Amino acid sequence: MGREVRSLPVPEGLVGMRIDAALSKLLGLSRSVAADLAAAGDVLVDGAAAGKSARLGAGSLLTVTLPEPAVSAEPTPEEVEGMEILYYDSDVIAVHKPVGVAAHPTVGWEGPTVVGGLAGAGFRISTSGPPERQGIVQRLDVGTSGVMVVAASERGYSVLKRAFKERTVTKTYHALVQGHPDPFTGTIDAPIGRHPSSGWRFAVTTDGKPAVTHYETIEAFPEATLLEVHLETGRTHQIRVHMSAIHHPCCGDPMYGSDPELARRLGLIRQWLHAVRLGFHHPADGRWMEIEAPYPADLEAALERVRA
Protein backbone atom coordinates (compact mmCIF):
# COMPACT_ATOMS: atom_id res chain seq x y z
CA MET A 1 0.00 0.00 0.00
CA GLY A 2 1.51 3.37 -1.03
CA ARG A 3 1.50 6.51 1.06
CA GLU A 4 -1.61 8.63 0.76
CA VAL A 5 -1.33 11.86 -1.26
CA ARG A 6 -3.75 14.73 -0.71
CA SER A 7 -4.14 17.97 -2.68
CA LEU A 8 -6.08 21.14 -1.88
CA PRO A 9 -6.32 24.70 -3.20
CA VAL A 10 -5.14 26.94 -0.35
CA PRO A 11 -8.26 28.08 1.60
CA GLU A 12 -8.61 31.85 1.98
CA GLY A 13 -8.29 31.66 5.77
CA LEU A 14 -4.82 30.04 5.50
CA VAL A 15 -3.28 32.49 3.02
CA GLY A 16 -0.05 33.91 4.47
CA MET A 17 0.29 31.10 7.05
CA ARG A 18 3.50 29.07 7.43
CA ILE A 19 3.44 25.56 5.93
CA ASP A 20 3.91 23.81 9.30
CA ALA A 21 1.13 25.83 10.96
CA ALA A 22 -1.22 25.37 7.99
CA LEU A 23 -0.73 21.59 7.89
CA SER A 24 -1.29 21.44 11.63
CA LYS A 25 -4.63 23.26 11.20
CA LEU A 26 -5.75 21.39 8.08
CA LEU A 27 -4.71 17.84 8.87
CA GLY A 28 -4.34 17.75 12.65
CA LEU A 29 -0.64 16.88 12.22
CA SER A 30 1.77 18.09 14.89
CA ARG A 31 4.09 20.94 13.86
CA SER A 32 7.10 18.60 14.15
CA VAL A 33 5.55 15.98 11.79
CA ALA A 34 4.60 18.78 9.35
CA ALA A 35 8.19 20.11 9.49
CA ASP A 36 9.61 16.61 8.87
CA LEU A 37 7.33 16.16 5.83
CA ALA A 38 8.46 19.52 4.42
CA ALA A 39 12.15 18.66 5.04
CA ALA A 40 11.68 15.34 3.21
CA GLY A 41 10.20 17.08 0.15
CA ASP A 42 6.72 15.66 0.82
CA VAL A 43 5.01 19.09 0.78
CA LEU A 44 4.56 20.72 -2.62
CA VAL A 45 3.14 24.16 -3.42
CA ASP A 46 2.18 24.41 -7.10
CA GLY A 47 4.33 21.34 -7.76
CA ALA A 48 7.52 22.66 -6.12
CA ALA A 49 8.88 21.41 -2.77
CA ALA A 50 8.27 23.92 0.03
CA GLY A 51 10.09 24.34 3.35
CA LYS A 52 8.28 24.41 6.71
CA SER A 53 8.55 28.21 7.03
CA ALA A 54 7.36 29.02 3.49
CA ARG A 55 4.13 31.01 3.51
CA LEU A 56 1.07 29.97 1.54
CA GLY A 57 -0.05 32.18 -1.32
CA ALA A 58 -3.60 32.78 -2.54
CA GLY A 59 -4.74 30.42 -5.29
CA SER A 60 -1.85 27.97 -4.81
CA LEU A 61 -2.28 24.20 -4.87
CA LEU A 62 -0.95 22.43 -1.77
CA THR A 63 -0.02 18.73 -2.16
CA VAL A 64 1.03 16.59 0.82
CA THR A 65 2.26 12.98 0.91
CA LEU A 66 1.18 11.67 4.32
CA PRO A 67 3.48 9.60 6.55
CA GLU A 68 3.24 5.79 6.57
CA PRO A 69 0.62 4.51 9.03
CA ALA A 70 2.25 3.39 12.27
CA VAL A 71 2.35 -0.38 12.73
CA SER A 72 1.08 0.00 16.28
CA ALA A 73 -0.92 2.93 17.56
CA GLU A 74 -1.33 1.92 21.18
CA PRO A 75 -2.54 4.91 23.22
CA THR A 76 0.02 6.46 25.53
CA PRO A 77 -1.54 7.14 28.95
CA GLU A 78 -1.48 10.91 29.38
CA GLU A 79 -3.14 13.72 31.24
CA VAL A 80 -5.42 15.63 28.85
CA GLU A 81 -5.89 19.19 29.99
CA GLY A 82 -9.51 20.32 30.02
CA MET A 83 -11.05 16.88 29.38
CA GLU A 84 -13.86 16.32 31.87
CA ILE A 85 -15.52 13.04 32.77
CA LEU A 86 -19.26 13.81 32.56
CA TYR A 87 -20.51 10.32 33.50
CA TYR A 88 -19.11 6.82 33.96
CA ASP A 89 -20.12 3.32 35.00
CA SER A 90 -18.93 -0.19 34.10
CA ASP A 91 -20.32 0.04 30.52
CA VAL A 92 -20.14 3.69 29.47
CA ILE A 93 -17.81 6.67 29.89
CA ALA A 94 -18.97 10.09 28.65
CA VAL A 95 -16.37 12.86 28.35
CA HIS A 96 -16.39 16.54 27.48
CA LYS A 97 -13.75 16.50 24.71
CA PRO A 98 -11.85 19.78 24.43
CA VAL A 99 -10.79 21.29 21.12
CA GLY A 100 -7.34 20.10 19.97
CA VAL A 101 -7.87 16.54 21.20
CA ALA A 102 -8.33 13.58 18.83
CA ALA A 103 -10.68 10.70 19.66
CA HIS A 104 -7.92 8.10 19.27
CA PRO A 105 -4.35 7.71 17.92
CA THR A 106 -4.10 8.17 14.15
CA VAL A 107 -1.48 8.63 11.40
CA GLY A 108 0.73 11.67 12.00
CA TRP A 109 -1.18 12.86 15.09
CA GLU A 110 1.14 13.45 18.05
CA GLY A 111 -1.31 15.47 20.12
CA PRO A 112 -3.51 14.32 23.01
CA THR A 113 -6.30 11.75 22.54
CA VAL A 114 -9.45 10.84 24.46
CA VAL A 115 -8.28 7.21 24.65
CA GLY A 116 -4.88 8.27 26.07
CA GLY A 117 -6.53 10.65 28.53
CA LEU A 118 -8.86 7.93 29.83
CA ALA A 119 -5.92 5.52 30.19
CA GLY A 120 -4.00 8.22 32.06
CA ALA A 121 -6.94 8.79 34.41
CA GLY A 122 -7.06 5.06 35.21
CA PHE A 123 -10.21 4.13 33.29
CA ARG A 124 -10.57 0.70 31.72
CA ILE A 125 -12.12 0.82 28.28
CA SER A 126 -13.45 -1.95 26.06
CA THR A 127 -10.89 -3.99 24.12
CA SER A 128 -13.36 -4.40 21.23
CA GLY A 129 -12.60 -2.67 17.94
CA PRO A 130 -9.35 -2.10 15.99
CA PRO A 131 -6.25 -1.82 18.27
CA GLU A 132 -5.89 1.96 17.96
CA ARG A 133 -9.64 2.54 18.30
CA GLN A 134 -10.58 0.16 21.12
CA GLY A 135 -13.75 1.27 22.86
CA ILE A 136 -14.42 4.04 20.32
CA VAL A 137 -18.05 3.97 19.15
CA GLN A 138 -18.17 7.55 17.77
CA ARG A 139 -15.74 10.33 16.97
CA LEU A 140 -15.63 14.10 17.18
CA ASP A 141 -13.26 16.11 14.95
CA VAL A 142 -10.07 17.38 16.60
CA GLY A 143 -11.45 20.92 16.09
CA THR A 144 -14.90 20.21 17.60
CA SER A 145 -15.60 20.17 21.34
CA GLY A 146 -18.39 18.53 23.29
CA VAL A 147 -19.93 15.28 24.50
CA MET A 148 -18.32 12.05 23.34
CA VAL A 149 -19.17 8.58 24.64
CA VAL A 150 -16.67 5.69 24.91
CA ALA A 151 -17.48 2.03 25.66
CA ALA A 152 -16.04 0.74 28.93
CA SER A 153 -17.11 -2.89 28.43
CA GLU A 154 -17.52 -5.35 25.56
CA ARG A 155 -21.30 -5.20 26.09
CA GLY A 156 -21.14 -1.41 25.99
CA TYR A 157 -19.17 -1.52 22.74
CA SER A 158 -21.50 -3.89 20.87
CA VAL A 159 -24.73 -2.21 22.04
CA LEU A 160 -23.54 1.38 21.44
CA LYS A 161 -21.87 0.56 18.10
CA ARG A 162 -25.17 -0.92 16.90
CA ALA A 163 -27.14 2.06 18.27
CA PHE A 164 -24.98 4.53 16.31
CA LYS A 165 -25.29 2.37 13.18
CA GLU A 166 -29.08 2.08 13.53
CA ARG A 167 -29.36 5.82 14.36
CA THR A 168 -31.16 5.35 17.67
CA VAL A 169 -28.69 7.77 19.31
CA THR A 170 -29.73 11.45 19.33
CA LYS A 171 -26.86 13.80 18.49
CA THR A 172 -27.46 17.49 19.19
CA TYR A 173 -24.98 20.20 18.26
CA HIS A 174 -25.00 23.98 18.48
CA ALA A 175 -23.39 25.86 15.59
CA LEU A 176 -22.82 29.57 15.05
CA VAL A 177 -23.13 30.09 11.29
CA GLN A 178 -22.61 33.13 9.10
CA GLY A 179 -25.68 35.04 7.94
CA HIS A 180 -29.28 33.84 8.30
CA PRO A 181 -30.37 30.48 6.89
CA ASP A 182 -33.65 30.64 4.95
CA PRO A 183 -35.85 29.01 6.13
CA PHE A 184 -34.95 29.55 9.81
CA THR A 185 -35.78 25.87 10.46
CA GLY A 186 -35.06 23.22 7.87
CA THR A 187 -33.52 19.94 6.75
CA ILE A 188 -30.49 19.48 4.49
CA ASP A 189 -30.59 16.11 2.72
CA ALA A 190 -27.52 15.90 0.48
CA PRO A 191 -24.93 13.11 0.04
CA ILE A 192 -21.38 13.75 1.27
CA GLY A 193 -18.14 12.37 -0.19
CA ARG A 194 -14.50 13.37 -0.50
CA HIS A 195 -14.03 16.69 -2.29
CA PRO A 196 -13.09 15.94 -5.93
CA SER A 197 -9.95 18.11 -5.82
CA SER A 198 -9.05 18.05 -2.11
CA GLY A 199 -8.39 14.77 -0.37
CA TRP A 200 -8.86 16.04 3.18
CA ARG A 201 -11.94 18.15 2.57
CA PHE A 202 -15.46 16.80 2.10
CA ALA A 203 -18.27 18.09 -0.10
CA VAL A 204 -21.80 17.44 -1.30
CA THR A 205 -21.21 14.99 -4.18
CA THR A 206 -23.61 13.00 -6.35
CA ASP A 207 -21.88 9.71 -5.49
CA GLY A 208 -21.43 10.46 -1.77
CA LYS A 209 -22.97 8.67 1.21
CA PRO A 210 -26.48 9.75 2.33
CA ALA A 211 -26.36 12.58 4.88
CA VAL A 212 -29.28 14.29 6.63
CA THR A 213 -28.98 17.36 8.89
CA HIS A 214 -31.91 19.06 10.68
CA TYR A 215 -31.45 22.58 12.04
CA GLU A 216 -33.51 25.18 13.88
CA THR A 217 -32.69 28.74 14.90
CA ILE A 218 -32.00 29.43 18.58
CA GLU A 219 -31.00 33.09 18.19
CA ALA A 220 -30.32 35.39 15.21
CA PHE A 221 -27.75 38.21 15.30
CA PRO A 222 -26.96 40.86 12.66
CA GLU A 223 -24.04 38.86 11.19
CA ALA A 224 -24.66 35.29 12.32
CA THR A 225 -27.21 32.76 13.60
CA LEU A 226 -26.95 30.30 16.48
CA LEU A 227 -28.49 26.99 15.39
CA GLU A 228 -29.47 23.79 17.14
CA VAL A 229 -28.54 20.93 14.83
CA HIS A 230 -29.70 17.29 14.95
CA LEU A 231 -27.80 14.73 12.91
CA GLU A 232 -29.56 11.74 11.44
CA THR A 233 -26.33 10.43 9.91
CA GLY A 234 -22.74 10.81 11.09
CA ARG A 235 -20.58 11.68 8.08
CA THR A 236 -17.13 13.24 8.53
CA HIS A 237 -17.47 17.07 8.76
CA GLN A 238 -21.23 16.69 8.09
CA ILE A 239 -22.46 19.91 9.73
CA ARG A 240 -19.55 21.94 8.35
CA VAL A 241 -20.12 20.62 4.81
CA HIS A 242 -23.91 20.99 4.85
CA MET A 243 -23.89 24.53 6.29
CA SER A 244 -21.24 25.53 3.74
CA ALA A 245 -23.34 23.98 0.94
CA ILE A 246 -26.25 26.33 1.78
CA HIS A 247 -23.79 29.28 1.96
CA HIS A 248 -23.88 29.64 5.77
CA PRO A 249 -20.56 28.11 6.91
CA CYS A 250 -19.72 27.77 10.60
CA CYS A 251 -17.99 30.93 11.87
CA GLY A 252 -14.24 30.35 12.20
CA ASP A 253 -14.10 27.56 9.58
CA PRO A 254 -11.94 28.77 6.65
CA MET A 255 -11.64 25.25 5.21
CA TYR A 256 -15.35 25.44 4.40
CA GLY A 257 -15.55 29.05 3.30
CA SER A 258 -16.02 31.18 6.42
CA ASP A 259 -15.04 34.87 6.48
CA PRO A 260 -11.59 35.21 8.15
CA GLU A 261 -12.33 38.81 9.11
CA LEU A 262 -15.46 37.84 11.07
CA ALA A 263 -13.50 35.05 12.80
CA ARG A 264 -10.83 37.59 13.83
CA ARG A 265 -13.46 39.95 15.25
CA LEU A 266 -15.03 37.09 17.22
CA GLY A 267 -11.64 35.86 18.47
CA LEU A 268 -12.18 32.42 16.87
CA ILE A 269 -9.27 30.18 15.88
CA ARG A 270 -11.53 27.17 15.20
CA GLN A 271 -15.04 26.49 13.95
CA TRP A 272 -17.90 27.49 16.29
CA LEU A 273 -19.37 24.01 16.61
CA HIS A 274 -20.10 22.13 19.84
CA ALA A 275 -21.67 18.75 20.61
CA VAL A 276 -24.02 19.85 23.39
CA ARG A 277 -26.04 16.69 24.02
CA LEU A 278 -26.00 12.96 23.37
CA GLY A 279 -29.00 10.71 24.08
CA PHE A 280 -28.87 6.90 24.08
CA HIS A 281 -30.32 3.78 25.68
CA HIS A 282 -27.99 2.45 28.38
CA PRO A 283 -26.35 -0.82 27.24
CA ALA A 284 -27.12 -2.60 30.52
CA ASP A 285 -30.81 -1.89 31.17
CA GLY A 286 -32.05 0.16 28.19
CA ARG A 287 -32.89 3.26 30.24
CA TRP A 288 -32.74 6.51 28.24
CA MET A 289 -29.79 8.73 29.14
CA GLU A 290 -28.92 12.24 28.03
CA ILE A 291 -25.46 13.70 28.66
CA GLU A 292 -24.83 17.43 28.20
CA ALA A 293 -21.68 19.55 27.91
CA PRO A 294 -21.66 23.36 28.42
CA TYR A 295 -20.02 25.71 25.91
CA PRO A 296 -16.24 26.07 26.36
CA ALA A 297 -14.87 29.54 27.19
CA ASP A 298 -13.73 30.40 23.62
CA LEU A 299 -17.15 29.69 22.09
CA GLU A 300 -18.95 31.51 24.93
CA ALA A 301 -16.71 34.57 24.41
CA ALA A 302 -17.35 34.58 20.63
CA LEU A 303 -21.10 34.38 21.29
CA GLU A 304 -20.91 37.40 23.64
CA ARG A 305 -19.01 39.35 20.96
CA VAL A 306 -21.53 38.54 18.24
CA ARG A 307 -24.38 39.54 20.57
CA ALA A 308 -22.68 42.86 21.28
Side-chain angles (χ1 to χ4, degrees):
M1 225 171 81
R3 292 166 64 191
E4 189 179 351
V5 179
R6 295 187 183 177
S7 293
L8 169 80
V10 173
E12 187 188 349
L14 301 185
V15 170
M17 197 178 276
R18 282 172 55 118
I19 291 279
D20 52 1
L23 290 184
S24 176
K25 194 164 177 63
L26 275 174
L27 291 174
L29 297 173
S30 69
R31 289 270 189 119
S32 61
V33 168
D36 290 346
L37 289 175
D42 289 330
V43 181
L44 308 179
V45 176
D46 294 330
K52 67 177 182 181
S53 56
R55 302 208 173 252
L56 291 174
S60 291
L61 181 70
L62 180 62
T63 304
V64 182
T65 304
L66 290 175
E68 286 282 4
V71 177
S72 163
E74 287 297 313
T76 305
E78 59 190 325
E79 189 179 324
V80 175
E81 192 181 340
M83 188 172 93
E84 287 177 67
I85 306 297
L86 299 170
Y87 173 86
Y88 72 94
D89 61 29
S90 57
D91 291 297
V92 173
I93 307 165
V95 303
H96 183 173
K97 186 191 87 63
V99 66
V101 177
H104 56 77
T106 188
V107 178
W109 175 254
E110 291 184 352
T113 67
V114 170
V115 170
L118 289 174
F123 284 90
R124 176 200 179 274
I125 60 176
S126 166
T127 54
S128 300
E132 77 284 3
R133 294 204 300 272
Q134 288 183 348
I136 295 292
V137 291
Q138 62 147 157
R139 283 179 285 189
L140 286 181
D141 286 351
V142 170
T144 301
S145 54
V147 183
M148 189 179 136
V149 69
V150 178
S153 67
E154 276 53 56
R155 170 175 65 186
Y157 184 86
S158 61
V159 173
L160 287 169
K161 196 78 180 161
R162 188 168 65 245
F164 277 99
K165 189 176 182 186
E166 294 175 355
R167 303 179 191 173
T168 58
V169 178
T170 62
K171 295 174 279 190
T172 307
Y173 292 75
H174 284 181
L176 185 69
V177 303
Q178 290 180 194
H180 306 112
D182 182 15
F184 262 33
T185 296
T187 294
I188 305 165
D189 183 347
I192 290 176
R194 284 210 178 269
H195 193 284
S197 65
S198 320
W200 57 69
R201 220 170 16 151
F202 290 79
V204 169
T205 59
T206 49
D207 58 352
K209 293 180 178 174
V212 180
T213 303
H214 306 282
Y215 69 88
E216 56 190 83
T217 295
I218 299 172
E219 196 173 352
F221 311 102
E223 292 184 284
T225 306
L226 181 64
L227 301 177
E228 179 156 302
V229 180
H230 295 272
L231 290 185
E232 255 187 55
T233 50
R235 305 294 168 222
T236 304
H237 299 179
Q238 179 169 326
I239 295 171
R240 299 165 65 192
V241 170
H242 271 174
M243 297 321 299
S244 177
I246 63 166
H247 310 297
H248 297 287
C250 294
C251 296
D253 192 5
M255 193 195 288
Y256 289 106
S258 71
D259 174 8
E261 181 50 41
L262 179 59
R264 271 195 290 276
R265 289 207 309 275
L266 298 182
L268 282 172
I269 55 169
R270 55 114 161 192
Q271 65 262 17
W272 204 114
L273 179 62
H274 182 67
V276 287
R277 193 161 54 252
L278 201 61
F280 55 92
H281 293 283
H282 193 280
D285 55 18
R287 74 184 185 276
W288 183 251
M289 296 187 66
E290 288 199 349
I291 314 277
E292 298 195 8
Y295 297 158
D298 63 330
L299 301 190
E300 191 69 71
L303 206 50
E304 284 171 16
R305 288 192 182 102
V306 82
R307 276 197 183 105

